[in-house]
Amino acid sequence: MSPVLDPNPQNGQKKLLLVLGAMLLVTVIIGVIASIASPS
C-alpha cells in the first residue's frame, strides 16, 4: 500500500500549506466583511 497523500513530500506539503493558507485567508476576509456589513 503506497501512501496516497505524500507522493512528493516537499512540493506536496508546500501546496497543501498554500491551499490551507488561502482557505484561512478567505475565511478571515469573509468574517471581516460580514462583521462590517452586519448592523451593530
Side-chain angles (χ1 to χ4, degrees):
M1 298 215 2
S2 60
V4 178
L5 283 176
D6 218 6
N8 201 350
Q10 277 109 16
N11 279 348
Q13 279 186 337
K14 205 172 186 181
K15 198 172 184 180
L16 186 67
L17 278 175
L18 201 68
V19 169
L20 285 176
M23 285 170 60
L24 188 67
L25 195 67
V26 168
T27 304
V28 168
I29 290 174
I30 288 176
V32 169
I33 290 176
S35 65
I36 289 175
S38 68
S40 46

